[in-house]
């Protein structure tokens, strides 16, 4: 099931509420990424404590490990990974393209060799729907082709982008048919493609709207294009997305990208940036980013961010976290991942509070000024 | 300060209570090891939740990283690592011997090159006391020479063991003098050495008793000797340790070793085994040990140990933990470390309960029968 209520708007920005089979989500929301059925280095209960309302799983990875027969035995991903709130799964498409030359794409689907054990595998819109049914994710993404910004140094042409976008549309129709045939009780989202071309984005959206899926995502951004191209496409398509459905911007991005996305009408975001950067000592704070490996933090008794209420900031200093990183101690990424995820989730809480109070524009200005101040 | 109350005895086994500057410890107790100021892969608050009363830190490691000027700034190890309960630190001796040929030992102390940056360093009984004062650990261990069981394939002779033991005794006196000179308000423990020779163990203990330190440890066991030698030495020296002082068996051991140690009058244990084994998929359970990497656990929906109340067993299956290990996900060692430490701490809680009820002998029989049953 999916029910979406639009509670309030300010310009293109929206404050909403999304009801799914495993619970209710207040939007705009950031969704932590749990590729292999775990948000890296973070306990599920810590995610709950920091207010994570929904997390992601990756269909491609979970298909290979642990494999469907294992997840099936647990009745889906929720019980397997001990997460009772909603889950969104991607379609596996993005990962398959990432395999590069070893993947062979046809109208039917994609053939490739398993990077785990070399097995020959075939992923199609129908198989993606079947896998996601077994995972029992609350939000199922259509199998699509994520149009690249460039390949082998050549920027994707409009013709290439059109061909790719049109195949994604045909695959969306096959996904919908299979999703209905197997009686999936969850919600299927379509994905707007079309590369950097506004007219193709319009055509993609129109094609998806003809299928009338309950949610719509914007894919193919943050794939290596200059920031100004991302901004241009988002500013074009965001405000055109259907008002009564949730809008999901896939794989984006920095804190600044999130606030800008909200301003263009986006409700949902995911990105590996908070967890991946945490493991590399790149920490997000209200007053800009902090590079934990810098020697200046060796004796710094302050928390990462004095305005932050996460478990890491409440209990540990920059000096201690710097020390853990230097010693390669696991507690380092455990604490920095908690902090960075808390930062992203709290940022979205502040965005929701601002929208509730009708002062999102003010908030966005203050946010930009704070972040530019520097740690 | 140190106050030790002997609450109850059963044979040589003892139920006691140890009061230190940072709190009270119920004995017998297992102490998790936090080498670099962190019990690997475990949050301090998780340690509190599972009932850890005291943890270890390693003087040698902390001296090199983060270095004393950093710990000094935090007023000691407690605030630096955010642990408010008691801490015991070793003397650095054991680690220096582990450096092997690159360490040069003389009556004065040990010269060696830092394994971190190659700096030439010198560790003496006095310097060890000064470092441990800065760390502000509740229990300070004397600087000693841990007599090896063998070196270069040759078993240590009685003459070698005597020479080593006698130097450790002279170092104990220097440690006591320095500990008093710098007015350390915590408690200094002596260490009984003497290798596998009962008469040398007796001489070592007599020499230490002349110094009248408030606690006494047994060192130089679990250093590669056959189990029967460890048992023989422990059965000889354990019951001779002074009744009114706490008894600490260093670096030991398996669950069976702990229960046996309690039966020989030991009050305190430490070992890296629960955390190190957890990271290698070797899990302790009431009914024997479990090798998580075994393919039989791939689809096993049961918890690690159905009688265990730890966070891992309450929420996650063997299949999920097997999957995390296979994918190299950090949540794997995070959860298995919680389980193994909880197993050790709970085992000692059960030992204390049995001693309180005057049925330790029955407990030890049931423990052995359960462990032999198999998972």
């Amino acid at each position: 099931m999916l029910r979406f209520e639009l509670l309030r708007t300010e310009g293109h920005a929206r404050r909403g509420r999304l009801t799914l089979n495993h619970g209710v989500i207040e939007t705009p929301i950031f969704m932590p990424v749990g590729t292999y059925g775990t948000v890296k280095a973070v306990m599920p209960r810590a995610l709950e404590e920091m207010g994570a309302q929904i997390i992601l799983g990756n269909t491609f990875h979970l298909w290979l490990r642990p494999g469907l027969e294992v997840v099936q035995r647990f009745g889906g991903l929720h019980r397997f990974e001990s997460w009772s709130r909603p889950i969104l799964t991607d379609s596996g498409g993005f990962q398959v393209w990432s395999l590069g030359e070893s993947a062979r794409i046809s109208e039917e689907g994609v053939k490739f060799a398993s990077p785990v054990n070399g097995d020959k595998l075939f992923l199609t819109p129908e198989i993606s729907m079947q896998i996601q049914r077994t995972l029992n994710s609350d939000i199922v993404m259509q199998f699509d082709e994520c149009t690249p910004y460039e390949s082998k140094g050549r920027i994707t042409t409009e013709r290439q982008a059109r061909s790719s976008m049109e195949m994604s549309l045909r695959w969306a129709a096959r996904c919908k048919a299979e999703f209905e045939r197997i009686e999936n009780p969850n919600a299927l989202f379509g994905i707007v493609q079309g590369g950097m071309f506004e007219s193709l984005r319009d055509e993609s959206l129109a094609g998806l709207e003809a299928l009338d899926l309950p949610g719509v995502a914007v894919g193919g951004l943050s794939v290596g294009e200059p920031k100004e191209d991302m901004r241009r496409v988002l500013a074009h398509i965001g405000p055109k997305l259907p008002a009564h459905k949730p809008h999901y911007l896939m794989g984006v991005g920095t804190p600044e990208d999130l606030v800008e996305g909200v301003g263009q009408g986006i409700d949902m975001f995911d990105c590996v940036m908070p967890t991946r950067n945490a493991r590399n000592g790149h920490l997000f704070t209200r007053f800009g980013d902090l590079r934990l490996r810098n020697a200046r933090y060796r004796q710094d008794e302050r928390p990462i961010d004095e305005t932050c209420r996460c478990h890491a900031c409440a209990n540990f200093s920059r000096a201690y976290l710097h020390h853990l990183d230097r010693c390669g101690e696991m507690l380092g990424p455990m604490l920095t991942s908690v902090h960075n995820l808390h930062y992203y989730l709290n940022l979205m809480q502040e965005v929701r509070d601002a929208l509730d109070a009708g002062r999102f524009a003010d908030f966005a200005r203050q946010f930009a000024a704070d972040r530019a101040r520097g740690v």
Side-chain angles (χ1 to χ4, degrees), chain A:
Chain A
M1 76 169 288
L2 180 148
R3 189 170 69 238
F4 181 68
E5 299 164 73
L6 194 56
L7 304 175
R8 194 172 178 124
T9 60
E10 181 180 337
H12 298 306
R14 299 137 52 91
R15 173 75 178 84
R17 184 170 296 146
L18 187 55
T19 304
L20 299 164
N21 280 330
H22 287 85
V24 176
I25 295 161
E26 302 293 330
T27 65
I29 185 61
F30 176 78
M31 307 181 284
V33 178
T35 301
Y36 272 118
T38 161
V39 176
K40 288 188 195 299
V42 181
M43 293 270 191
R45 70 166 172 178
L47 288 169
E48 286 174 17
E49 281 170 17
M50 65 178 90
Q53 303 181 56
I54 172 172
I55 62 175
L56 254 71
N58 283 114
T59 289
F60 175 79
H61 293 85
L62 292 162
W63 184 33
L64 301 184
R65 292 184 295 188
L68 293 187
E69 71 282 18
V70 176
V71 179
Q72 180 93 64
R73 185 178 279 264
F74 286 80
L77 196 50
H78 287 85
R79 190 165 78 86
F80 181 63
E81 68 180 47
S82 198
W83 175 257
S84 62
R85 298 180 186 179
I87 294 175
L88 179 151
T89 46
D90 66 2
S91 68
F94 186 80
Q95 278 75 27
V96 169
W97 317 135
S98 311
L99 297 174
E101 308 246 324
S102 68
R104 297 194 171 210
I105 304 169
S106 67
E107 182 71 25
E108 177 61 11
V110 186
K111 284 189 176 144
F112 63 100
S114 162
V116 174
N117 59 16
D119 282 357
K120 287 184 182 174
L121 296 169
F122 191 39
L123 195 54
T124 67
E126 290 77 16
I127 294 171
S128 175
M129 290 303 104
Q130 291 156 15
I131 300 169
Q132 291 184 75
R133 177 69 193 89
T134 299
L135 297 176
N136 196 28
S137 44
D138 297 76
I139 296 178
V140 169
M141 298 306 298
Q142 77 152 94
F143 191 68
D144 67 336
E145 181 176 53
C146 180
T147 309
Y149 176 67
E150 61 181 353
S151 42
K152 297 178 187 167
R154 290 188 188 173
I155 293 178
T156 301
T157 64
E158 181 162 359
R159 184 177 172 152
Q160 291 169 322
R162 168 177 293 282
S163 165
S164 168
M165 178 273 284
E166 289 176 345
M167 185 163 73
S168 284
L169 272 184
R170 293 190 297 274
W171 285 0
R174 284 168 57 188
C175 285
K176 185 185 180 190
E178 182 68 6
F179 184 90
E180 289 171 353
R181 188 187 71 77
I182 60 180
E183 298 181 349
N184 190 324
N186 297 298
L188 175 63
F189 277 34
I191 303 174
V192 176
Q193 292 288 354
M196 301 300 136
F197 306 95
E198 281 91 340
S199 60
L200 295 183
R201 292 281 176 176
D202 290 341
E203 283 188 49
S204 177
L205 177 57
L208 285 175
E209 278 308 283
L211 294 174
D212 196 26
L213 299 171
V216 59
V218 176
L221 290 183
S222 202
V223 292
E225 75 280 9
K227 202 76 149 187
E228 66 200 52
D229 283 325
M230 182 179 121
R231 286 213 181 99
R232 173 174 56 80
V233 173
L234 182 60
H236 174 80
I237 200 71
K240 292 188 173 182
L241 299 172
H244 60 294
K245 294 180 183 179
H247 310 158
Y248 165 28
L249 179 56
M250 302 180 77
V252 176
T254 65
E256 284 71 15
D257 291 339
L258 266 59
V259 173
E260 180 169 344
V262 169
Q264 299 295 359
I266 300 298
D267 308 302
M268 305 162 68
F269 302 86
D270 82 286
C271 193
V272 296
M273 196 175 274
T275 41
R276 180 176 292 166
N277 285 15
R279 296 194 299 279
N280 294 321
H282 180 148
L283 307 183
F284 296 99
T285 88
R286 185 177 299 276
F287 300 112
D289 298 348
L290 183 155
R291 302 289 183 161
L292 188 60
R293 289 172 189 170
N294 193 312
R296 79 166 79 157
Y297 300 122
R298 186 159 172 269
Q299 305 210 22
D300 192 332
E301 296 174 62
R302 290 172 295 172
I304 301 163
D305 181 340
E306 279 168 338
T307 73
C308 177
R309 297 181 312 278
C310 83
H311 183 69
C313 287
N315 294 280
F316 303 94
S317 62
R318 295 172 181 177
Y320 183 63
L321 295 167
H322 176 90
H323 162 70
L324 293 176
D325 179 79
R326 203 167 148 231
C327 295
E329 285 285 351
M330 224 178 282
L331 187 60
M334 288 165 63
L335 289 169
T336 55
S337 297
V338 162
H339 170 78
N340 272 0
L341 282 175
H342 183 278
Y343 174 84
Y344 267 67
L345 292 165
N346 182 63
L347 173 61
M348 298 314 275
Q349 179 65 59
E350 292 186 354
V351 163
R352 291 194 297 275
D353 291 345
L355 286 166
D356 283 337
R359 47 171 189 80
F360 175 71
D362 287 345
F363 171 84
R365 267 189 296 274
Q366 185 65 48
F367 162 80
D370 284 346
R371 288 274 297 168
R373 195 199 82 172
V375 181

